[in-house]
Structures are given as C-alpha cells and as structure tokens.
Amino acid sequence: MDPLASLLYEVRSEGALFSKNILVPPWSIGFAGGTPLAVVTMLRGSGWIVPGGDAAPVALGPGDVAVVTGAEPFSVTDDAGAQTPPFYVVHPGHCTTADGEDVSEDVILGLRTCANAPGGTTVLLTGSYQVDGRVSARLIGGLPRVLVVPQEGKAGPILELTDSEISRDDPGQQAVLDRLLDLLLLSTLREWFARPEADPPAWYRALADPVAGRALRLIHDRPARPWTVTTLAEATGVSRATLARRFGDLVGEPPMTYLTGWRLALAADLLARTDATVESIARQVGYQSAFGLSVAFKRVYGTRPSDHRAAPAVSPVG
C-alpha cells in the first residue's frame, strides 16, 4: 500500500453532512469552526471561497471541485467583496441561521436540499467531514488551506452520481453518500497532486523516486518489520549512504525519523479506536514491548499511551 492510499484509508467520512444549495444572487453560505475538511463544488454557476484571515478569496467555476482544510470558519459566496450575510451556517452535524437558530423550514426545499429561491440557476454542493487522528493529520496537515481542481465547465461522473443520490432516502443512503464523498475527495486530491501548479507534501513528490519511493512504500506496507537504514537500503537495492541522502533530500527527514513518525501515528489511532492492549499495539507497529512504545510516544507526543487513550480525539487540523 503506498503512502497516499495508507493516509486516505484513514480519512474516511462517517455521517458526512451533505448539502445541495439552489441559489440566486446575492448569496453566501458559512462554515463554522471545527469542520476540519470540506469538499465544495459548483454543479452550476460560479462563486468564491473566502478562507478568512489574511488569505485571498479563491474562485470556483462551473464543475470545479475544492477541498478546504482547517478548523477556522470560511464561507462560499457569489461575490467575495460584497460581505453578504450567510444564508445559513454549516456546523458539525447540523445547520443554523447566522444567529444560531436551527434552519427554518422556509429554506428547505427537500431532503439535503436548501434554496434561497426555487429555480435558482446556481447549484452549490458541499460535503463536510469529521475526521480525527494522527494518521489523518499527516495528510491534512500537508495540504494548503484551499485547493481547487478545475473541471473546465463540466461536472465529472462522480459529481453527477452524487447529485442524483443526494436527494434520495433509500435504505443505507448515508453510507452511499459517505462513500461518494470519499471517492470525490480521493479523485480530487489525486488530480490536484498531478497538476503542475500543485505543491503536494514532500512524501508525495518522493513517491516518483525509485529509491525514496520504494522505501516509503516498504515503511507503509510493513511498519512492524525491524527496519534499519541497512535493511531498507538492501530492500531498495542501494547503499546506506545513497538511501539516506535521497530520502532526506526528497522527504525532508531521515528514513528512521519518518518510520518513527508513521509508527507512532498508527499507534495513536489504534489506542484511540480499539481496545487492544498497549503491548499488542506496540508489536503491531514495530516496537518490541509496551515500554519501548511508551518511551517513544512520550518523547514525540508528550504523553503516555494510556493517557492518550483516555484523552479526547485529536483533530488533524486546528
């Protein structure tokens, strides 16, 4: 399993909040703080993502798909300079007016569909994730605040399928929508990573290298193996010095440092999501004992594994 697959396997939606919005100008939709990952697309029409703070607004054309990361509030609007009050605000798990009241019936056009005027020519689709964990943080923390994949005016097949499914209420519909959002996120990130203007994380760029990329795949595929620089070098067919130099130059840290970070991220999420013993988790991620894992965990995260298990879930951003 390559690093992108490993990371995206952990960033999966459960109970994702989908919304289809039919709009006429002026319009604005807000996203409250605490939404660490959102997918925004214009099925029809155009608009702007306003990230907040000092970040400049980002244009969205017809069919374009954007991924917004970070726990800070943001908005999507038809006019970035108009400061239109939000039609409603998306919170984790529900939507309210700008004043904090539940969205009234007069804006709800149908299941998961809202409108500020029926028959509007602008159609905005949004989906928000609630993700947590250290593994997710390794992906989301390396992404920009807003990334956009242009679609040249036409929604792709995943968007068309999502549009047709969003207003249905068949058995298992939430699971269908969750998987569609996962697929939309995966395809968008993969396309964005391949674009010349993209600035993907260093580990992603390193995947194309026959030495560093091979070492990354081995680390992700077999984290429990007793890897050393020597055994990784042998597995990639180069010398220790070549591996250390290529990996460090492309990934930005030595191979053993990356391996430790990956093992501890896996351990942190296993502690939070399973009832496995610390001893068992230690061996799953490549430590010989619970003591060895505890020492490394304390050094990197500042807490013991047992304390981490008892703590609230860690948001990958913010």
Side-chain angles (χ1 to χ4, degrees):
M1 184 180 291
D2 66 49
L4 181 60
S6 299
L7 292 162
L8 289 174
Y9 182 80
E10 294 295 331
V11 183
R12 291 180 294 171
S13 60
E14 290 186 21
L17 184 60
F18 257 113
S19 177
K20 181 178 179 179
N21 311 276
I22 301 173
L23 306 158
V24 295
W27 58 266
S28 173
I29 295 174
F31 286 77
T35 303
L37 184 65
V39 177
V40 179
T41 182
M42 303 298 304
L43 291 177
R44 292 193 296 274
S46 60
W48 295 83
I49 294 177
V50 182
D54 297 328
V58 179
L60 276 183
D64 292 356
V65 183
V67 175
V68 185
T69 66
E72 300 82 10
F74 72 94
S75 62
V76 188
T77 181
D78 69 307
D79 187 343
Q83 297 184 334
T84 302
F87 176 39
Y88 64 78
V89 179
V90 178
H91 299 264
H94 69 290
C95 296
T96 71
T97 66
D99 297 328
E101 299 179 0
D102 286 339
V103 172
S104 60
E105 292 296 329
D106 59 351
V107 304
I108 299 175
L109 194 62
L111 184 64
R112 304 184 190 91
T113 302
C114 296
N116 66 352
T121 56
T122 298
V123 180
L124 172 69
L125 182 68
T126 67
S128 58
Y129 275 80
Q130 290 303 306
V131 294
D132 54 46
R134 300 288 181 174
V135 169
S136 299
R138 294 176 72 88
L139 172 64
I140 299 174
L143 298 177
R145 171 66 164 155
V146 181
L147 63 88
V148 177
V149 174
Q151 297 295 324
E152 299 179 352
K154 183 178 180 181
I158 300 173
L159 280 178
E160 292 177 350
L161 180 58
T162 303
D163 185 22
S164 69
E165 289 285 343
I166 197 169
S167 59
R168 297 177 64 177
D169 194 23
D170 297 337
Q173 193 64 24
Q174 184 61 58
V176 171
L177 292 173
D178 285 343
R179 299 294 77 80
L180 282 172
L181 184 56
D182 291 338
L183 185 57
L184 182 58
L185 175 68
L186 172 58
S187 61
T188 300
L189 288 178
R190 188 169 59 181
E191 287 185 46
W192 181 76
F193 284 161
R195 296 183 67 83
E197 73 271 18
D199 184 22
W203 56 260
Y204 183 84
R205 295 193 300 270
L207 288 174
D209 182 77
V211 175
R214 171 66 174 159
L216 280 167
R217 289 181 174 88
L218 288 168
I219 287 171
H220 279 252
D221 194 39
R222 306 170 190 171
R225 286 195 62 175
W227 293 115
T228 65
V229 176
T230 298
T231 57
L232 270 176
E234 291 172 350
T236 55
V238 297
S239 68
R240 284 169 43 100
T242 297
L243 173 64
R245 183 180 67 254
R246 293 278 283 277
F247 199 99
D249 288 347
L250 293 172
V251 181
E253 58 186 342
M256 293 299 100
T257 302
Y258 185 93
L259 173 62
T260 297
W262 179 240
R263 284 173 167 172
L264 294 179
L266 290 173
D269 287 358
L270 287 169
L271 286 163
R273 298 172 184 174
T274 75
D275 295 326
T277 65
V278 177
E279 184 77 28
S280 171
I281 290 172
R283 295 187 182 280
Q284 287 184 61
V285 301
Y287 287 89
Q288 295 301 307
S289 67
F291 177 77
L293 172 61
S294 184
V295 170
F297 206 91
K298 175 75 171 179
R299 182 180 69 251
V300 173
Y301 293 143
T303 187
R304 297 179 303 172
S306 57
D307 295 332
H308 174 82
R309 169 168 275 167
V314 176
S315 173
V317 282

